[in-house]
Amino acid sequence: MQAVAVRDREAGVEGLFLTDIPHPHAAENDVIVRVHAAGFTRGELDWPGTWSDRAGRDRTPSVPGHEVSGVVAELGFGTTGLSVGQRVFGLTDWTRNGSLAEYTAVEARNLAPLPADIDHTTAAALPISGLTAWQALFDHARLAAGQTLLVHGAAGGVGSLAVQLGREAGARVIGTGRADDRDAVLGLGAEAFWDLGSDRLEDAGEVDVVLDVIGGEIGDRSAALVRAGGTLVTVAGPPTARPKDGRAVFFVVEPDRARLAELAQRVRDGRLRPIIGSVRPLAETPEAFARRVRVLGRTIIQVGLAHIHVRQD
């Protein structure tokens, strides 16, 4: 089967190549998914799990991509709760071959049924971004109605969903980003927008929750904005600055079938809309990883042969 793989860690995105690899084996409690659409994170070529398995052994050539939407093609021994032919979406394991392939093996518990009225491209944009936004706001920061939420990178995959989820929860949402993102972020429901290139972040005032996907200086400066009892939650790395009278939390997103189902229901109801900026075929994955021109929204890779290729950048 065809897949996009990496072998040389030093080569970075230049080391991505389209190749043929063996069909995956379904271990106990696994399913084999025929991939229709896949999402990826550009930084994942720096993740240890891309190069080593859980025991620390080299596993190259490895297949990146950890967001998948497709159809169950095969069930491993002992797998329950899903059936062959069922539409599913979810997260692949960090230390196993991922979704940028025609087929991938996934633990059944990491997948959720995909309703028939959600297309695979939309579904592939939900798992990492949607679960990260939800877990950041509600599991770690305990965001509540009436609070003020500041979302960095509010036009990005995680940020755009966090803006929508925060607004639905009854929070006042402030988004940050580049000047070109202003209209998109306000259109998602943010009450205010801060241009990180020209506006003083400190003028945003005190907030109850900061969701930081940027890190570095922005993350450090954001700590001072958190009012007493509030939370700075980040996925950019362990925080180097902490709120004076609040908490700072760093976390890595975890699979959650029940939450994926809730996110899917919000999409069906029109309460949540992932932003899809570019849709590319599997052969163009290396180019998509190395993209030089910024495109608003997620880049999704279409893999299933039944899909029509739509390129939007």
Side-chain angles (χ1 to χ4, degrees), residues 4-5 13-18 40 42 100 280-292 301:
V4 170
V13 296
E14 300 300 324
L16 287 162
F17 58 96
L18 186 66
F40 64 89
R42 284 181 175 77
L100 294 172
R280 310 283 285 271
L282 185 64
E284 293 183 13
T285 301
E287 179 185 343
F289 257 89
R291 189 185 67 203
R292 302 290 186 265
I301 303 301

Side-chain angles (χ1 to χ4, degrees), residues 10 19 49 55 66 82 85 112 119 125 128 139-140 166 169 178-179 197 206 209 213 243 255 257 282 302-303 309 312:
E10 300 302 318
T19 187
H66 294 286
L82 297 173
D119 63 80
I128 288 181
D139 296 342
H140 295 290
R178 305 184 189 188
E206 286 191 331
V209 176
V213 299
R257 174 186 284 183
L282 185 64
Q302 285 188 334
V303 183
H309 170 215
Q312 298 172 314

Side-chain angles (χ1 to χ4, degrees), residues 1-264:
M1 69 170 190
Q2 283 202 313
V4 170
V6 287
R7 181 179 289 113
D8 182 356
R9 189 167 191 170
E10 300 302 318
V13 296
E14 300 300 324
L16 287 162
F17 58 96
L18 186 66
T19 187
D20 287 316
I21 65 172
H23 194 280
H25 167 72
E28 187 174 358
N29 297 319
D30 272 355
V31 300
I32 301 298
V33 177
R34 182 174 186 263
V35 181
H36 283 224
F40 64 89
T41 303
R42 284 181 175 77
E44 69 185 77
L45 298 187
D46 296 324
W47 299 349
T50 299
W51 307 99
S52 304
D53 64 17
R54 292 178 181 175
R57 297 169 299 207
D58 180 89
R59 67 179 193 88
T60 58
S62 60
V63 177
H66 294 286
E67 294 171 290
V68 64
S69 183
V71 175
V72 175
E74 181 184 342
L75 300 176
F77 178 78
T79 300
T80 60
L82 297 173
S83 58
V84 172
Q86 186 172 9
R87 302 172 86 242
V88 292
F89 74 116
L91 283 178
T92 68
D93 194 288
W94 307 123
T95 56
R96 297 171 67 186
N97 279 345
S99 57
L100 294 172
E102 292 180 312
Y103 293 87
T104 188
V106 190
E107 283 191 75
R109 64 179 180 174
N110 294 348
L111 297 169
L114 178 65
D117 54 356
I118 299 179
D119 63 80
H120 289 292
T121 299
T122 298
L126 272 177
I128 288 181
S129 296
L131 289 176
T132 298
W134 187 284
Q135 291 168 16
L137 299 187
F138 305 119
D139 296 342
H140 295 290
R142 299 189 289 272
L143 182 71
Q147 292 186 328
T148 299
L149 164 68
L150 181 103
V151 178
H152 287 310
V158 174
S160 61
L161 297 182
V163 168
Q164 296 173 70
L165 290 171
R167 184 190 179 203
E168 184 188 38
R172 174 179 179 261
V173 181
I174 302 170
T176 79
R178 305 184 189 188
D180 292 346
D181 298 335
R182 182 183 301 274
D183 289 346
V185 172
L186 295 177
L188 292 172
E191 293 186 20
F193 179 84
W194 250 247
D195 176 1
L196 293 177
S198 61
D199 296 332
R200 270 178 40 89
L201 180 60
E202 291 72 17
D203 291 341
E206 286 191 331
V207 301
D208 299 285
V209 176
V210 172
L211 171 53
D212 173 33
V213 299
I214 300 173
E217 179 193 3
I218 295 298
D220 290 347
R221 291 164 59 193
S222 299
L225 302 179
V226 179
R227 62 170 51 102
T231 304
L232 166 66
V233 58
T234 178
V235 295
T240 54
R242 296 176 175 272
K244 182 179 179 181
D245 296 307
R247 299 184 306 131
V249 178
F250 165 67
F251 79 101
V252 176
V253 64
E254 297 182 357
D256 188 328
R257 174 186 284 183
R259 198 66 69 203
L260 283 172
E262 291 185 32
L263 291 168

